[in-house]
Amino acid sequence: MSPREVISVHIGQAGVQMGNAAWELYCLEHGIHPDGQMPTDDSYGVGDDSFNTFFSETAGGKHVPRAIFVDLEPTVIDEIRTGTYRNLFHPETMITGKEDAANNY
């Protein structure tokens, strides 16, 4: 049986804020620390764990969310970059523009 993989895409201010809250809950539910380490995980490389559907495991044992955050305005994603879970996400998965799309209609 092939492994299950889910990639979450969070777009815009609301999507990014909801995504950040959801990933915090995923980490709490599975015992993953804000730096991506899971001290109780002794199954490195075993794909049978349910959290491997949502997380990629690095060679160093760090669990990185399969998520992409996109927003034209950088301040919301900057909250993640400087927040408690800043070491959880890979920097390349947080994409921002240089200005917002306010009044762009």
Side-chain angles (χ1 to χ4, degrees), residues 42-86:
D42 57 357
S43 62
Y44 172 73
V46 176
D48 293 339
D49 297 317
S50 63
F51 56 85
N52 284 335
T53 300
F54 299 100
F55 292 88
S56 294
E57 189 173 1
T58 66
K62 181 178 177 181
H63 295 81
V64 180
R66 290 188 176 104
I68 298 172
F69 295 89
V70 180
D71 197 354
L72 291 176
E73 206 271 318
T75 57
V76 178
I77 293 181
D78 285 345
E79 290 177 15
I80 298 173
R81 288 182 177 134
T82 60
T84 305
Y85 286 82
R86 66 185 168 271

